[in-house]
Amino acid sequence: MMKLGKYLLVPWFSLAVYTVLSIYNGPAGIIPYRELKNEHQKILENLDKLRAINDELEGTMDALRYDQETIRIKARELGYGEKNERFVRIVGLPGIRLSEMKPGMIRTFVQPVPSGKTYRLISFCMGIILFTLFLAGDMLFKNDDSIHKY
């Protein structure tokens, strides 16, 4: 009777393997949680950069609304001028426009791959291996017992 009781450990062992794999690396496990936490930190840093860019753009917008000299400078950067003004363009030099002001950066996040089927397959195979080991052990010890009886 005790020999058959160990076969009841096989489903529990499979369940334990599946549970450990799911807790550690499942869709809501420890590793995906760490990855999401890192992505959250990147998004917060990006939000801070966007706020700084927004403040800079608001300052530029206010200057363009109310300051005539800023409007003149910006118009010249865009190629406009006043009457009787002439422009000289030197070929080979970079333009006056600054490309530092970007509206934002695109952030992508790493989506955890749901791998429940893989964990079920691994735990099933581990259960089969344990069952096979138990069966092989019983077969070997049964043959040893039968040899010693005679």
Side-chain angles (χ1 to χ4, degrees):
M1 183 67 175
M2 191 59 171
K3 286 186 176 185
L4 295 178
K6 66 182 172 186
Y7 289 105
L8 294 176
L9 292 176
V10 172
W12 288 106
F13 177 73
S14 297
L15 181 66
V17 168
Y18 178 76
T19 303
V20 168
L21 289 174
S22 294
I23 287 173
Y24 187 69
N25 200 20
I30 294 170
I31 290 178
Y33 179 74
R34 287 180 188 163
E35 290 174 359
L36 287 176
K37 202 149 172 100
N38 290 339
E39 292 299 321
H40 182 258
Q41 187 63 34
K42 287 180 186 177
I43 289 172
L44 290 178
E45 290 170 5
N46 190 35
L47 186 60
D48 290 340
K49 289 178 185 177
L50 288 174
R51 285 185 181 141
I53 290 171
N54 186 40
D55 292 341
E56 186 178 330
L57 289 174
E58 281 181 356
T60 304
M61 184 178 68
D62 288 341
L64 287 172
R65 278 188 185 161
Y66 305 115
D67 187 18
Q68 293 296 323
E69 189 61 33
T70 305
I71 294 172
R72 267 191 212 103
I73 292 170
K74 203 61 155 169
R76 285 194 178 107
E77 286 179 5
L78 294 174
Y80 295 101
E82 295 180 10
K83 291 182 182 179
N84 299 328
E85 251 185 353
R86 295 184 187 241
F87 291 96
V88 176
R89 174 172 266 174
I90 301 173
V91 180
L93 293 178
I96 299 174
R97 293 186 193 179
L98 300 175
S99 62
E100 295 174 10
M101 296 172 48
K102 296 178 184 176
M105 297 170 13
I106 297 174
R107 286 285 185 191
T108 59
F109 66 94
V110 178
Q111 186 172 3
V113 179
S115 54
K117 291 181 181 180
T118 305
Y119 296 147
R120 281 183 242 149
L121 181 65
I122 290 171
S123 60
F124 179 74
C125 290
M126 294 294 286
I128 293 294
I129 290 171
L130 185 64
F131 178 77
T132 306
L133 289 174
F134 283 160
L135 189 62
D138 284 345
M139 296 300 271
L140 288 174
F141 289 127
K142 185 177 184 180
N143 289 339
D144 287 345
D145 291 340
S146 64
I147 293 173
H148 294 295
K149 285 184 181 179
Y150 296 113

